[in-house]
Amino acid sequence: MKRKIAAIFAADIAGYSRLVAEDEEETLRRLASYREVIDDFIAKASGRIFNTAGDAVLAEFPSAVDAVRCAIDIQESLRTRNMAYPPSRQMSFRIGITIGDVVERNGDLLGDGVNIAARLEGLAEVGGICVSRAVHEQVANKLSVQFADIGAQEVKNIPTPVHAYMVAMRREDGSYSKPQLKKTASKMAAAPVWMWPLVVAVVSIVGIVVTGFLYNTKLKQTATAAAPPAVTPSAAPSPTPAAMAASPTPATQTAKAPMAAMPPSNAGAAMAPMPAPSPAPAMTGKLAAESVPFINERVRNYLASEYSAAGDYKAFALNIGGFTGSALNQPNEEAARNAAVEQCQKRADAAQSPRRCEIYAVGNNVVYAHGKPPMPPAPYFRHDAVTERAFVSKDFPIVRDPQKVRLENMFVPAAKSRSVALGPGGQYFMVLGASSAEDAARRSLESCGAIAGVPCVVVAIDDNFVVPIPTLLRITGLFYPATNAQIGADARGEVVHKLADAMGWNAVAVGTAGRPGLGLKAADEQTAVNSALADCAKRDSDCHVIAIGPFTVGPIN
């Protein structure tokens, strides 16, 4: 580990949970598109992204000037993109920037500098930028930027107040907006001293009145409870078990507080992998080696034999990247837990895995908090001579160029069996050197699903793409027909059924009324597209293709 001074940039989407709950696929597609913009600006400003989590981005810059200039460019670019959407569907970032002393470990940055940047981001306006006083002092005379001083701010987990400034963002006419200052507790300290006795007296009187009111109300409620209940219509029915179990909160939002449970708008369509992620219930019960996710066959055999036969105290830890650790014959349960996690984490750190290790089992009991990863139905992949072709990294869909370079450097030369699974927002996971293609596919899907929060798709096995890769239209995401909002709700089930076992090239088109047209089992992409459009035109108007194979598609820019 080494220490250094850096300008830390933290960005996060305002209202991301709501956007995902309303339309997950469209939100994830736009997030991937907006991230391309952000990543490009950061790279051009000599910045480096050192961590991401869901919709959050953390980056470092060599100077505060570079960081602020980059943040302004990002906000202005995204503001222009947002104009194409109604206010309720606009995706706006908040950005916080500070200069601080940080610790670098395996490419990640840790320390108060990172924490303060994240807190400043929380203070920023939607679509705005908030900076610390250190950044303001560095930038004030070097950039033609206007600031609003919002004073010392008390922020979570930071012992001393942080003096912060809002950046005034430029309007379309070239003028600058006036930041809306947030009211903070620190401003109460500026009240005249003579006012405090009055405040205390008023608060005391209000407290006495409220207490008396609540006491009398409680007496009335108690008396009412003793009487026979009256039959009255309920103003709001209690949530059903199904509604209480559903949650739109993606499992990937580790930095977000979960939303209140609510049923997704498409709860009635449950015929295919659901793209709306919901936290899986914690895994409990007896340890069954064949049910443990992420691990290879060697570890599975170890769990079934040596680990299961060992006496207490023992524990087993893993992370979603497939790294594991175990501890047998420990003096107590706590020692077993600590030793297993430490061993797993050392292995993960040595391989530069960004995923943290967690306890999966204590003794022979499963205590894993995250449940089973979401998986698609089996078979996980199929060889189809009509669509299968040689793997080429530059043609890998959805992901950005740095990820394509990583696939070229790691996946292509790796030993068989190997697999890459892809999620709807560009999440992907590769498994290399597995015991079989089936094992590689299962493990890549488990890890990708745990990261994405929804079932992923196996895109490549060994040297070949095992799904059709469209070229006539631009790939925008993964296609979930059971929940696709462009298809009429009453037609989704039929689309799912007809696509289930269709080999060859398949395409889906829809018109203005959401009536689908299908082109199935075609010998080439163009034939599938033409068939889908012709089928759609029989029952709808202004038809256009929305999916080819497992991918959603749009016009090529």
Side-chain angles (χ1 to χ4, degrees), residues 298-346:
R298 180 182 59 80
V299 176
R300 200 176 305 282
N301 292 335
Y302 163 79
L303 288 174
S305 55
E306 186 176 345
Y307 182 89
S308 294
D312 282 339
Y313 293 99
K314 62 186 178 185
F316 176 72
L318 52 68
N319 78 358
I320 63 177
F323 293 93
T324 65
S326 64
L328 309 179
N329 304 317
Q330 297 296 304
N332 54 54
E333 181 180 303
E334 183 180 2
R337 284 174 173 266
N338 292 340
V341 170
E342 182 180 4
Q343 183 186 83
C344 176
Q345 198 60 56
K346 283 183 178 179

Side-chain angles (χ1 to χ4, degrees), residues 210-300:
V210 171
T211 301
F213 172 76
L214 292 177
Y215 179 72
N216 290 331
T217 302
K218 180 64 176 178
L219 289 177
K220 291 178 181 179
Q221 289 175 341
T222 304
T224 303
V231 179
T232 59
S234 173
S238 299
T240 64
M244 292 178 67
S247 171
T249 305
T252 55
Q253 293 183 65
T254 56
K256 296 282 189 182
M259 291 176 61
M262 63 192 320
S265 58
N266 50 20
M271 301 183 62
M274 294 287 289
S278 58
M283 294 178 68
T284 57
K286 291 296 182 182
L287 176 65
E290 64 274 11
S291 300
V292 181
F294 316 130
I295 62 174
N296 59 34
E297 292 306 309
R298 180 182 59 80
V299 176
R300 200 176 305 282

